Structures are given as C-alpha cells and as structure tokens.
Amino acid sequence: YEWMAYDGQDGHIRIASLPDMWERTLTVGSVGKTFSVTGWRTGWTYGPEFLMKTVKAAHHSIVGQCYTAVQEASAIVFELETERLGTEESYFTELKKQLLSKRERVVTMLKSAGMRPIPPEGGYFVVADIGNMDVDLQSEDQSKTKDFQFVRWATKNKKLTGFPVSAFYSDEHKHLAKNYIRFSFFKEESTLDKAE
C-alpha cells in the first residue's frame, strides 16, 4: 500500500523509520499486495535481529514450500521497477493514477446514493457514513449492528456489497462504527459500470 498515496501525500511513512521505532518494529511486505498478484504467496519481513529470530523460527515451521518460479519472477519485477521508480513507465506511477481515478468515481457514486464518503489519502478502500440514510432495515437481523444490517440489505436489494466497519471492533466498541461501511475501489471498470 505504500505506493498508493494520493492528494499530494509524499507517500507512506514506515513506522520503522521513525525515531526509536526500528528496535521494536517488524516490517512485512508481500509481492501479492505490492504488484496486485494476490496468488503469489511470496513476501518478506525485516527488522532487528532479536525480533527476527522468532519470525525465522515460525517461518521454518509454517512454510512447506516456495515456488522457485515465483521467487525468480518477483526478483525480476523488483529489479525492473527499481529502475523505473519515479518515471511514467513505473507500475507504481500508473497504479496510483488508475486508483485515484477509481477512488473519485466511487466517492461520486456513494455521494449520489446518499452516503457521506470519506476519501482516503491512500490505499484502495473508501469508508462511507450511512448515518443519515433513511433505509428500512427492519427485515434484517436486529441483533447485528446497523452497518451489518445495511451491508446485508444493500447486497440483497441493490446488488452492492461493502464491508461493515464494526467487524474490526471489539464487541464493547462496535457501536462506534455502526454507521460506517467500507468499499473497495480497486475494481475493473466494468464492475464499476454495474455499480453506477
């Protein structure tokens, strides 16, 4: 996500780069997330040696195999993108342009549906406030928070699926997110066409 910064943001600030944080931070990366190839289960972790010892021990016990072809392809694409970084040919430059356009499109759609979207400064999810929407949710499971009810209602009635933000909260704090739905805008243009 570090390459997906919008609106004049200088980019992602790595926690480990802040004062006194290297000693207490493990940085985790993924080829799948970095280059939008989620099936490539190849990643990396770096940090201070005393923290890495535990990661190495867990890695040894968890990873059963790693495909050489994926590792080689990952190395090649990183070398290529390192040369292109900051140019118009860079994947990261193009990705940022595409996502910014999609973000604006989804924000506009959500506003036109009566939601109050909060445009993100990075990433590819937009959170929308549904608190002011007048939607009858009585047919939904009343034991769930409003965001869960709304997502279920929208999926059934509008063929639009978001993610209830309260799912990220503990039970005692779910009420704080009851009016918020998260939508991904990293979608094919044809999918966004259907949403309009």
Side-chain angles (χ1 to χ4, degrees):
Y1 300 100
E2 68 187 282
W3 305 103
M4 301 175 202
Y6 317 116
D7 303 329
Q9 298 295 314
D10 290 333
H12 174 75
I13 297 171
R14 296 179 182 176
I15 297 292
S17 72
L18 298 174
D20 301 319
M21 291 306 294
W22 169 258
E23 303 81 29
R24 57 179 100 177
T25 304
L26 287 170
T27 300
V28 179
S30 160
V31 172
K33 292 290 185 189
T34 301
F35 294 105
S36 309
V37 286
T38 54
W40 291 24
R41 302 285 185 208
T42 301
W44 58 89
T45 303
Y46 62 86
E49 183 59 32
F50 79 96
L51 291 175
M52 288 300 297
K53 285 181 183 178
T54 306
V55 172
K56 290 175 185 176
H59 183 267
H60 179 74
S61 301
I62 296 170
V63 177
Q65 59 188 343
C66 189
Y67 301 103
T68 304
V70 171
Q71 289 177 316
E72 181 67 21
S74 299
I76 290 168
V77 75
F78 269 113
E79 289 172 356
L80 181 62
E81 282 306 311
T82 299
E83 292 172 11
R84 292 178 174 176
L85 204 54
T87 70
E88 289 299 313
E89 292 79 34
S90 173
Y91 169 77
F92 302 119
T93 302
E94 182 58 30
L95 179 65
K96 183 176 175 176
K97 285 181 192 174
Q98 287 179 13
L99 290 177
L100 184 56
S101 171
K102 291 172 189 281
R103 180 194 76 170
E104 296 308 312
R105 187 173 177 191
V106 169
V107 164
T108 299
M109 281 190 273
L110 295 173
K111 283 180 181 177
S112 70
M115 298 179 209
R116 292 187 304 239
I118 304 162
E121 294 177 349
Y124 52 84
F125 294 103
V126 60
V127 172
D129 181 345
I130 60 163
N132 64 331
M133 295 188 71
D134 186 24
V135 177
D136 182 6
L137 300 174
Q138 292 303 313
S139 64
E140 301 305 325
D141 184 349
Q142 296 301 301
S143 70
K144 301 287 186 186
T145 52
K146 181 180 177 182
D147 58 333
F148 272 90
Q149 293 174 29
F150 183 87
V151 165
R152 190 162 170 85
W153 173 86
T155 301
K156 288 189 299 188
N157 296 292
K158 301 296 181 182
K159 307 297 184 242
L160 177 67
T161 301
F163 190 86
V165 174
S166 72
F168 295 114
Y169 286 69
S170 65
D171 286 341
E172 69 179 296
H173 294 107
K174 284 189 183 299
H175 68 280
L176 298 172
K178 69 181 180 183
N179 288 324
Y180 298 99
I181 310 296
R182 184 177 84 159
F183 296 94
S184 170
F185 53 87
F186 202 157
K187 303 288 182 188
E188 296 288 334
E189 292 298 328
S190 59
T191 303
L192 295 178
D193 290 343
K194 291 176 188 174
E196 285 181 318

